[in-house]
Amino acid sequence: MGSSFVRFPYTSRIIKECRIRQDSRLLSPPRPSFLHSNKMKLFVLFTCFSVALTAITSLEDLAASFEEFKSAQAKKDLDNQWQALHMAAAAACRGSTPEGGKGSWSNSVIPKKNGDKCSEQCRTTDRPNCKAEVSLTGYPGKATAYDQKVGYFYNYECDGGWNSDPRQNEVLAEEGDILESVKTPYYRFCCCAK
């Protein structure tokens, strides 16, 4: 608290009493026997008000911090969902490329644009050779049986320009669409190599 509290006796006792009453949800300030002047009564009221205000500010800060944490965690969860999809797309591309690759460089996966052919899209990147087009989806949650379908895929040739459904275009999708498998049944990707 401030230096003004030093002028009055029993300051720490009053603050302690205020906190006890606040924790007990008692709204009236304490009335110790040493309250003999109006100045002292005002001091006690001010002290209790300050203690209560500090607690409210702390709770508001705590609530704001919790909301920030929830928002950051929700963003992280979405990012992890998109990353999982991208890793699945990379695996699907690898599986759709029977001869594999040659050289010391990596191959890449890019989102498929509606109406374009993957052969055209790959040509605009540093991995200009299209190896395949893939379309895949997966379901959230853990599998509970060995015959349970956990995802679906299609693989296409590079020059097909297949499936122009705009819901299957990751770039046009809303960030939260990854969590709604009914809204977005599949996402499409191009598999590009050097």
Side-chain angles (χ1 to χ4, degrees), residues 102-176:
K102 297 182 176 85
S104 58
W105 47 83
S106 61
N107 300 312
S108 64
V109 179
I110 59 174
K112 171 106 172 29
K113 185 176 179 183
N114 290 353
D116 283 7
K117 297 177 178 178
C118 279
S119 56
E120 296 166 354
Q121 275 190 255
C122 288
R123 216 172 286 130
T124 65
T125 72
D126 63 344
R127 306 288 191 267
N129 301 310
C130 178
K131 294 296 185 178
E133 176 185 331
V134 296
S135 180
L136 59 134
T137 189
Y139 296 106
K142 181 185 168 302
T144 56
Y146 292 106
D147 59 352
Q148 179 181 349
K149 294 175 181 74
V150 295
Y152 294 96
F153 71 95
Y154 291 97
N155 53 319
Y156 305 106
E157 56 206 43
C158 290
D159 290 323
W162 309 99
N163 198 338
S164 59
D165 185 343
R167 295 175 304 154
Q168 298 183 14
N169 183 326
E170 178 181 342
V171 174
L172 297 178
E174 295 293 322
E175 189 169 22

Side-chain angles (χ1 to χ4, degrees), residues 57-71:
T57 303
S58 298
L59 288 175
E60 287 172 355
D61 289 346
L62 181 63
S65 296
F66 183 68
E67 286 304 315
E68 281 179 38
F69 171 77
K70 275 181 21 182
S71 178

